[in-house]
Amino acid sequence: MSEEYRVNRKICQLLDSGTRTLDRRIEDRLHAARQGALSRHQQTIAAGELRLAGSGGVIVGIPKYARVLFAAIAFSAGIFATYATTTYLERLQQAEEAAEIDSALLADEIPFNAYLDQDFLEWLDHLAQDESSQG
Amino acid sequence: MAVLGTASADVPLLIPPNWASLPARQKAVLAPLAGEWDQLEAWRRMKWLEIADRYPSMTQEEQARVQRRMKDWVKLSPEERKAARERYKNVQKATPEQREALKQMWSEYKTLPEEEKRRFRSLSGGGTAATPSSSTADSSPSAPH
């Protein structure tokens, strides 16, 4: 028998002997308070308890499958948020690049039709061939 | 990033605004696109807002060209816009003299009679000219579309 056990036992004996001298009404109130505390404790466990500690989450009293599901959803949301942010930034970058070239192209003295007119491009080729054959 | 830094001063760019929500200054610049604006993809609206922000720094002549051409530009297919950008970028690598020569050739080409153009088309074995069918900006009656 350890020293700690002997001390605990002594405390219990003292408390037991103390309650024998208590008034009946006080004894009843202590009993009711104890029953109430036990009841509340049981309800807390049954309902589950969620505690958040720091940036990570500590989930207590929730079934394991629910915790796995929650982690999977959180992970997927993180992946989606990263993808969405990356895509958005890429779009912004594309918009900025396109704006730079489109504003210059649209404002240029040579209209964009010239760059899309296949006949004109072939005519240029024809002129270039004529020049090279003459030169 | 310039897009965030400039256009966002007027409107939030996370969701590009519809036409009704645009500030009057941007509406004035982008007026030729009023009919198409709400159907444009989000990133294209962002691009046009960026162009609207560059607009005040252009000369009056450039501003007029941009406004005259933007309506036809949005009607092009993505492939046509891509091809035009690529050819424009190549032309920018040329010397100023070469660019000036190209401008003169385009002016000269526009004055060619249709019969002459058809002759070059048949010489090249073509006849399937890939001209932008919807484009009318800067085209004269004798010029291709």
Side-chain angles (χ1 to χ4, degrees):
Chain A
M1 192 179 292
S2 70
E3 181 63 25
E4 188 182 357
Y5 180 80
R6 272 198 293 274
V7 170
N8 287 343
R9 186 121 178 101
K10 186 72 180 167
I11 291 170
C12 287
Q13 284 170 354
L14 285 170
L15 287 173
D16 285 347
S17 64
T19 55
R20 282 186 212 113
T21 61
L22 283 176
D23 182 88
R24 178 74 186 173
R25 282 178 302 175
I26 294 173
E27 206 175 309
D28 288 347
R29 283 171 59 194
L30 282 172
H31 179 74
R34 176 179 161 74
Q35 291 303 318
L38 284 171
S39 173
R40 281 193 295 276
H41 181 64
Q42 290 299 324
Q43 284 171 4
T44 303
I45 289 174
E49 182 183 11
L50 178 67
R51 285 189 318 210
L52 294 176
S55 57
V58 178
I59 302 169
V60 178
I62 289 181
K64 189 178 178 183
Y65 77 88
R67 275 181 275 164
V68 171
L69 184 65
F70 179 80
I73 290 170
F75 181 73
S76 302
I79 294 285
F80 178 76
T82 305
Y83 170 77
T85 305
T86 307
T87 305
Y88 180 72
L89 290 176
E90 279 175 3
R91 286 294 193 189
L92 276 184
Q93 184 68 30
Q94 284 176 0
E96 192 180 343
E97 286 169 6
E100 189 175 346
I101 191 157
D102 286 8
S103 56
L105 176 55
L106 292 174
D108 197 68
E109 286 182 295
I110 301 171
F112 65 80
N113 305 54
Y115 303 113
L116 296 171
D117 190 319
Q118 200 59 38
D119 291 343
F120 173 60
L121 298 173
E122 282 169 9
W123 182 70
L124 286 180
D125 280 347
H126 184 80
L127 292 181
Q129 282 168 15
D130 276 358
E131 274 186 22
S132 63
S133 63
Q134 285 168 10
Chain B
M1 192 177 285
V3 171
L4 287 170
T6 55
S8 59
D10 290 315
V11 287
L13 279 178
L14 198 61
I15 303 168
N18 57 24
W19 184 258
S21 309
L22 280 182
R25 186 180 61 79
Q26 290 178 326
K27 272 186 182 171
V29 175
L30 302 170
L33 302 180
E36 293 90 353
W37 183 262
D38 291 342
Q39 281 75 51
L40 293 177
E41 300 101 318
W43 82 272
R44 289 181 70 194
R45 276 188 264 168
M46 288 180 200
K47 182 200 76 175
W48 283 108
L49 291 175
E50 176 72 14
I51 289 174
D53 281 339
R54 291 164 187 251
Y55 190 82
S57 64
M58 298 176 188
T59 65
Q60 281 194 339
E61 206 175 342
E62 287 172 333
Q63 289 178 351
R65 285 192 206 118
V66 169
Q67 284 211 316
R68 194 168 62 240
R69 293 168 180 169
M70 62 171 68
K71 197 174 179 65
D72 289 321
W73 181 251
V74 295
K75 288 178 185 168
L76 296 179
S77 69
E79 292 75 24
E80 285 173 327
R81 283 195 295 271
K82 188 180 174 191
R85 286 183 190 120
E86 289 305 314
R87 287 169 190 155
Y88 173 75
K89 281 194 274 188
N90 285 336
V91 167
Q92 296 315 296
K93 292 173 192 166
T95 63
E97 291 77 21
Q98 287 172 321
R99 288 205 297 273
E100 184 59 31
L102 181 66
K103 191 179 79 175
Q104 285 178 1
M105 282 180 194
W106 172 250
S107 300
E108 190 182 330
Y109 175 80
K110 283 197 295 182
T111 61
L112 285 179
E114 273 302 313
E115 194 180 321
E116 188 81 353
K117 289 175 189 170
R118 270 199 297 275
R119 194 170 68 83
F120 287 115
R121 217 175 291 165
S122 59
L123 279 175
S124 64
T128 54
T131 53
S133 56
S134 59
S135 294
T136 55
D138 302 294
S139 58
S140 64
S142 61
H145 292 297

